[in-house]
């Protein structure tokens, strides 16, 4: 096996990420044929076929998948080293890739990123929504956002968004008029509870807390879904009681389409964190975003 050319290795990763030679060539400003030549040379040097090529798609072979999994951290380090040169000029450039849960993408990031991107016009942001915890480096991301209970011990975490959040229980006025308003969590056993199934397959329970006492009520009723929008819309339509992030129901609560219930029992929890692996060369867009978040926190010490 001959020692492979680093450029060929980088092009292999770019072709897989782009899903084909043509898309990768457009990003690189090269011809598709020149990229194909690089891949053939790399496969020849390694003595392995790395890509499955058809007229419709280009996908990595099993060997290519294993190689790419090992290469990603090294390639990210190389990109980060070059991005550090931009740090010296105080002009971060490049793409910040984030993996975040749905509530964060919908309710926290829009305003944060609007302010951040106005400050750093040389930075692009790519956001993928995913609720399960992932290894951000192995997934090709610069950082992720998760809640504290999901963070691995070896991660560096920086607060992002509100430091306290709540789950709230609510139902439509007509539902409560027909079925009555529960005053204690135990009374929910006689009600329609709109359940949520997570990506892991687990069904969430309604968990309430008051004066150190915790009450868990499993959802029961006609509706079980992984869609927050469907669950909340079903509550508005009078199908049952919903228990979810306060941000999801803030608007229907304010306009009266939903009515809060069991307010003394709503459970509060710590807000989310931006998490990332500590590494010697941090990409300049990530460094700029972390500094931005810290400045936001300093300016808002009493975040809701």
């Amino acid at each position: 096996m001959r020692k492979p050319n680093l450029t060929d290795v980088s092009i292999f990763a770019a072709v897989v990420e782009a899903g084909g030679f043509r898309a990768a060539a457009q990003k690189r400003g090269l011809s598709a044929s020149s990229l194909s030549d690089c891949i053939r040379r790399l496969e020849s040097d390694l003595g392995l076929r790395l890509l499955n090529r058809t007229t419709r798609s280009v996908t990595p072979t099993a060997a290519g998948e294993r190689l790419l999994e090992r290469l990603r951290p090294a390639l990210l380090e190389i990109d980060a080293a070059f991005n550090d040169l931009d740090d010296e000029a105080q002009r971060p450039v490049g793409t910040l890739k984030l993996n975040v849960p749905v509530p964060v993408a919908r309710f926290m990031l829009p305003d944060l990123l609007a302010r951040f991107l106005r400050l750093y016009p040389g930075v692009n942001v790519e956001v993928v929504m995913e609720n399960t915890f992932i290894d951000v480096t192995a997934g090709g991301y610069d950082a992720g956002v998760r809640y504290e209970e999901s963070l691995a011990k070896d991660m560096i975490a920086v607060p992002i968004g509100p430091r306290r959040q709540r789950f709230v229980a609510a139902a439509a006025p007509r539902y409560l008029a027909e079925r009555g308003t529960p005053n204690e969590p135990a009374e929910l056993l006689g009600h329609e509870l709109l359940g949520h199934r997570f990506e892991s397959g687990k069904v969430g329970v309604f968990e309430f807390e008051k004066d150190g006492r915790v009450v868990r009520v499993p959802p029961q009723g006609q509706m079980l879904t992984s869609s927050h929008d469907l669950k909340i819309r079903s509550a508005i339509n009078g199908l049952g009681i919903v228990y979810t992030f306060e941000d999801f129901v803030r608007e229907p609560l304010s306009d009266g389409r939903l009515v809060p219930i069991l307010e003394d029992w709503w459970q509060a929890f710590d807000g989310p964190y931006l998490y990332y692996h500590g590494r010697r060369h941090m990409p300049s867009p990530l460094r700029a975003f972390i500094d931005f978040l810290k400045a936001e926190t300093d300016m808002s010490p009493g975040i809701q």
Side-chain angles (χ1 to χ4, degrees):
M1 182 181 74
R2 292 194 298 271
K3 186 177 180 180
N5 183 293
L6 186 58
T7 299
D8 294 344
V9 171
S10 175
I11 285 175
F12 162 65
V15 169
V16 174
E17 183 177 350
F21 288 99
R22 183 172 298 177
Q26 290 176 343
K27 289 185 177 181
R28 291 264 174 160
L30 301 170
S31 68
S33 61
S34 66
L35 266 60
S36 182
D37 290 340
C38 292
I39 299 300
R40 278 196 291 268
R41 183 169 56 237
L42 179 61
E43 290 177 326
S44 176
D45 289 342
L46 297 177
L48 291 170
R49 184 161 58 87
L50 300 177
L51 294 176
N52 292 315
R53 304 167 177 82
T54 70
T55 56
R56 292 179 177 270
S57 66
V58 175
T59 58
T61 62
E65 285 277 13
R66 290 195 301 271
L67 177 62
L68 190 59
E69 184 177 349
R70 296 290 300 274
L71 285 175
R72 275 197 181 108
L75 292 173
L76 287 170
E77 283 294 309
I78 292 171
D79 286 341
F82 283 109
N83 281 332
D84 276 351
L85 297 177
D86 297 307
D87 286 340
E88 294 177 6
Q90 298 299 310
R91 292 195 308 269
V93 296
T95 298
L96 174 65
K97 295 185 177 181
L98 301 175
N99 186 289
V100 307
V102 172
V104 171
R106 289 185 60 178
F107 301 109
M108 297 180 205
L109 282 188
D111 291 341
L112 275 175
L113 291 182
R115 295 194 295 274
F116 172 69
L117 292 176
R118 278 195 290 267
L119 289 173
Y120 300 101
V123 174
N124 302 317
V125 176
E126 180 180 330
V127 177
V128 172
M129 293 189 299
E130 192 171 2
N131 289 319
T132 56
F133 179 77
I134 69 162
D135 184 329
V136 289
T137 299
Y141 299 96
D142 295 303
V145 177
R146 292 296 185 274
Y147 289 85
E148 188 172 15
E149 68 274 10
S150 299
L151 297 179
K153 298 300 183 184
D154 60 345
M155 294 292 176
I156 298 175
V158 177
I160 180 172
R163 297 326 308 140
R164 293 296 286 172
Q165 294 183 275
R166 294 187 299 181
F167 285 114
V168 304
R174 67 174 180 175
Y175 173 87
L176 297 175
E178 294 171 359
R179 302 291 297 270
T181 301
N183 297 307
E184 295 283 337
E187 296 177 16
L188 292 174
L189 294 175
H191 283 268
E192 290 284 326
L193 306 183
L194 303 173
H196 186 86
R197 186 182 294 280
F198 295 98
E199 294 173 8
S200 64
K202 180 181 178 181
V203 176
V205 299
F206 286 30
E207 185 170 291
F208 299 90
E209 184 175 4
K210 182 180 180 182
D211 299 329
R213 180 185 169 204
V214 177
V215 179
R216 297 178 177 88
V217 183
Q220 53 194 354
Q222 293 179 288
M223 174 66 69
L224 178 64
T225 178
S226 62
S227 167
H228 293 285
D229 291 334
L230 177 58
K231 182 174 58 176
I232 293 160
R233 191 68 198 177
S234 297
I236 292 172
N237 288 336
L239 290 183
I241 295 172
V242 66
Y243 191 52
T244 188
F245 281 91
E246 185 171 13
D247 283 325
F248 277 120
V249 291
R250 193 179 300 277
E251 186 175 320
L253 282 174
S254 66
D255 63 24
R257 287 177 294 164
L258 290 178
V259 176
I261 61 173
L262 300 172
E263 293 180 72
D264 291 345
W265 289 86
W266 289 355
Q267 191 177 62
F269 53 95
D270 288 339
Y273 291 83
L274 181 86
Y275 72 98
Y276 59 96
H277 283 292
R279 56 193 182 204
R280 185 175 180 183
H281 295 293
M282 183 184 293
S284 62
L286 177 58
R287 188 189 305 278
F289 191 54
I290 291 169
D291 290 343
F292 167 78
L293 292 177
K294 290 179 177 178
E296 289 262 316
T297 302
D298 290 342
M299 288 188 294
S300 305
I303 297 178
Q304 66 273 24

